[in-house]
Amino acid sequence: MIQDISPHRFSNHYEEHTPDVDSRVMFVKDGRILAESKGAASDFPAYSESAAFVKKYVYLFSIDDIKFFLAKEYEDVPAEGYQFYPLRDLYKFDKKYMAFAAVTAFQLSNWYEGNRFCGKCGKPLVHSSKERMLQCSHCGNTVYPKISPAVIVAVTDGDRILMTKYANREYKRYALIAGFTEVGETLEETVSREVMEEVGVKVKNIQYYKCQPWSFSDSLLVGFFCELDGSDSIVLDKEELSVGEWVHRDDIEVSYDGISLTNEMIIKFKENR
């Protein structure tokens, strides 16, 4: 999955740092991020290329000995050899750890941009120097990065798995049932509710599989396998899904992408592991 970058080491421990010559600077704009334009883009502007344009930096994280910073206030961007990429294109990076760096930087950039003012009193928020937190100096309100739990559900019935396609979304490939946990729910209750709401079937034997940070939606995705309980008749929520169907493991036409938990779970079932 996209966060599996071993042997590289990711550290999100927050401290105040000053960029050094090898630090990478992340320019995020309109849902896109600046990266190399040659071949399979795999790197970002170094501080030495960006210092002339940027007035303010925010430290994000490190991978190995490389520190990553967000360009917060800048007049221009390094142009030669770089271009802005939509996040979905980052899957094509030939250095996976740099793709992970990009999506994580994007998540933090969105959080900083969406929390410039206090939600209680409306005064500007300021950066903490001790932790990744924003604080209101007027009323004392504190704001931490938002992480929303969501489930990915593989509903199985013997050699069949329930596969879906989203309605009215750019992503058109097969997926599994998914949804966010609501207030007062356990993750297992979310599984049962989402399956019933989206395809109208009951499930049993809910088993945790694996989880994944998913920066595209500020989520922690939690994967579960479960079994059909009763009728296999599908009642599709057409506002959420365009397709919902039972697929035999021998007929699954999905290949491993090394990116998403959904893909890994489908492949696991397909290969009967």
Side-chain angles (χ1 to χ4, degrees):
M1 295 185 286
I2 195 169
Q3 77 274 10
D4 298 327
I5 62 172
S6 180
H8 300 284
R9 304 179 311 280
F10 170 72
S11 174
N12 61 7
H13 176 68
Y14 182 80
E15 294 180 353
E16 288 199 330
H17 289 287
T18 300
D20 57 46
V21 66
D22 293 322
S23 296
R24 299 299 190 271
V25 180
M26 315 301 275
F27 293 84
V28 180
K29 181 180 180 181
D30 299 329
R32 300 175 298 156
I33 196 160
L34 192 71
E36 283 183 335
S37 57
K38 297 179 181 178
S42 60
D43 210 342
F44 308 97
Y47 172 68
S48 58
E49 302 171 277
S50 310
F53 308 120
V54 183
K55 295 180 178 180
K56 183 179 180 180
Y57 299 89
V58 175
Y59 174 69
L60 298 177
F61 49 81
S62 68
I63 296 180
D64 299 331
D65 296 326
I66 303 174
K67 295 181 178 65
F68 291 78
F69 290 81
L70 177 66
K72 282 289 289 180
E73 298 176 10
Y74 56 92
E75 299 174 348
D76 204 346
V77 301
E80 187 174 353
Y82 295 98
Q83 69 182 63
F84 278 99
Y85 286 87
L87 279 190
R88 291 290 175 183
D89 285 354
L90 302 180
Y91 292 162
K92 303 172 186 177
F93 273 29
D94 58 6
K95 295 178 182 177
K96 188 176 180 181
Y97 73 97
M98 286 297 191
F100 178 62
V103 297
T104 307
F106 175 79
Q107 179 178 5
L108 287 170
S109 174
N110 282 349
W111 176 67
Y112 281 121
E113 184 64 24
N115 292 278
R116 293 182 293 169
F117 300 96
C118 178
K120 294 180 70 175
C121 71
K123 300 293 184 180
L125 294 173
V126 296
H127 293 238
S128 168
S129 60
K130 298 180 180 180
E131 58 182 327
R132 194 175 307 282
M133 178 263 284
L134 299 171
Q135 188 168 25
C136 179
S137 57
H138 180 74
C139 72
N141 182 37
T142 57
V143 182
Y144 291 88
K146 182 184 75 172
I147 302 173
S148 303
V151 299
I152 303 293
V153 189
V155 183
T156 66
D157 179 36
D159 287 328
R160 301 188 302 167
I161 188 171
L162 186 52
M163 298 183 67
T164 64
K165 289 185 178 181
Y166 296 117
N168 305 314
R169 291 198 197 178
E170 184 178 344
Y171 187 83
K172 301 300 182 182
R173 298 178 183 177
Y174 274 107
L176 299 175
I177 291 170
F180 288 99
T181 298
E182 301 289 351
V183 172
E185 280 186 332
T186 66
L187 292 169
E188 290 81 1
E189 288 170 339
T190 305
V191 168
S192 296
R193 175 182 57 78
E194 286 290 343
V195 173
M196 177 55 69
E197 288 179 353
E198 294 193 1
V199 292
V201 302
K202 295 181 179 180
V203 296
K204 61 183 180 181
N205 298 332
I206 301 170
Q207 299 291 324
Y208 169 76
Y209 170 63
K210 192 180 286 188
C211 65
Q212 173 181 36
W214 194 245
S215 296
F216 300 97
S217 56
D218 300 326
S219 307
L220 179 67
L221 303 182
V222 187
F224 290 89
F225 281 87
C226 57
E227 299 174 358
L228 176 68
D229 183 14
S231 172
D232 67 353
S233 179
I234 294 173
V235 180
L236 200 67
D237 179 353
K238 294 184 179 180
E239 291 187 2
E240 292 288 335
L241 302 175
S242 63
V243 173
E245 58 189 15
W246 294 101
V247 181
H248 193 280
R249 71 173 82 246
D250 294 338
D251 297 325
I252 294 174
E253 296 180 352
V254 174
S255 57
Y256 181 65
D257 65 12
I259 300 295
S260 72
L261 176 60
T262 296
N263 176 265
E264 181 174 305
M265 291 173 67
I266 294 173
I267 297 299
K268 180 180 173 65
F269 179 81
K270 176 181 178 181
E271 297 177 353
N272 197 20
R273 293 187 281 117

